[in-house]
Amino acid sequence: MSIVTQLKHPLLQHKLTLLRDKNTNSKDFRTLVKEVAMLMAYEVTRDFPTEMVEVETPIAKTQSARIAGKTVAIVPILRAGLGMVDGILEVMPTAKVGHIGLYRNEETLQPVEYYAKMPKDIDKRTVIICEPMCATGGSIIAAVDLLKARGIKDIKIMCLVVCEVGIKAIEAVHPDIQIFTVGYDKELNDIGYITPGLGDAGDRLFGTK
């Protein structure tokens, strides 16, 4: 059974097409990433348990559902993951936010950690890792390794686009996590970028290229 859930809602697929377009400028790219992350958050949290509680409407008392016992931490992988955080916070404003800093060694294509800071109660939370692109899978594997070392068991991954190569690499070492994505591409090019992908998400978010 695959650890990947591809979200094929028409709104998400439409926005992904706009993200792929090289003519989409940084301002619009940032807005689209935020919107996609917000829409994805509904699906990522679909399995959260609920409980019935009594509330009083302006008309009468009634039983209604609320989320039961789930607290969330959003952990973006710097820097591109930052673009997804605000969209998730739109629908889960009480979530706490941790940060993992990784960069890719352009020769080995392996991730190098340079920063990690988490909420103190991170081990008691459902953690949503934000990483727009899953290419080789190295950054996500490193992030999951770091979180599991801190005792975190409930981990979900949110990506805009994944590649089959990266998914297989993650599945081999972390078959217990869930990955949610909008785009599922098949190949990497000779410098480790997803093809067709959408380019370097960090550069496109922040206008650095």
Side-chain angles (χ1 to χ4, degrees):
M1 183 176 177
S2 176
I3 62 174
V4 179
T5 299
Q6 184 180 7
L7 306 178
K8 297 182 179 180
H9 192 287
L11 283 174
L12 286 169
Q13 292 300 317
H14 173 80
K15 291 177 186 298
L16 176 61
T17 298
L18 297 175
L19 286 169
R20 289 190 190 274
D21 188 343
K22 69 177 185 180
N23 295 312
T24 298
N25 62 38
S26 289
K27 175 182 177 296
D28 292 339
F29 193 89
R30 283 193 297 272
T31 299
L32 286 162
V33 169
K34 177 180 176 181
E35 291 172 350
V36 168
M38 181 178 67
L39 293 170
M40 289 182 74
Y42 288 97
E43 290 300 320
V44 173
T45 58
R46 181 179 288 275
D47 65 350
F48 278 17
T50 59
E51 62 185 358
M52 300 304 292
V53 297
E54 183 177 276
V55 296
E56 188 169 358
T57 77
I59 308 301
K61 290 183 179 180
T62 187
Q63 294 288 314
S64 192
R66 71 178 179 190
I67 293 174
K70 282 283 187 180
T71 53
V72 173
I74 306 164
V75 179
I77 297 177
L78 304 179
R79 63 185 167 138
L82 289 171
M84 303 174 73
V85 173
D86 285 348
I88 304 172
L89 288 174
E90 288 283 339
V91 292
M92 290 186 283
T94 60
K96 291 186 178 179
V97 181
H99 298 87
I100 295 175
L102 299 169
Y103 68 88
R104 184 169 70 165
N105 183 307
E106 295 301 329
E107 293 182 1
T108 66
L109 303 183
Q110 295 303 306
V112 179
E113 179 187 329
Y114 65 89
Y115 183 78
K117 188 163 187 178
M118 303 294 156
K120 290 182 179 179
D121 61 349
I122 188 79
D123 59 321
K124 299 178 177 62
R125 293 175 175 267
T126 295
V127 175
I128 300 173
I129 296 175
C130 298
E131 172 68 304
M133 312 298 291
C134 172
T136 64
S139 294
I140 288 175
I141 290 170
V144 174
D145 286 344
L146 186 152
L147 292 173
K148 285 187 173 181
R150 294 173 181 242
I152 300 152
K153 297 180 174 63
D154 189 1
I155 300 171
K156 301 174 186 286
I157 313 293
M158 281 178 57
C159 299
L160 302 179
V161 180
V162 302
C163 180
E164 195 167 276
V165 174
I167 294 303
K168 287 180 177 178
I170 297 166
E171 211 162 29
V173 291
H174 295 299
D176 55 321
I177 65 169
Q178 294 176 280
I179 299 176
F180 295 83
T181 188
V182 183
Y184 196 126
D185 294 348
K186 295 294 184 182
E187 299 176 347
L188 297 178
N189 64 16
D190 57 2
I191 58 170
Y193 279 77
I194 299 173
T195 304
L198 48 78
D200 187 304
D203 284 340
R204 295 192 68 191
L205 277 164
F206 303 115
T208 50
K209 193 171 183 178

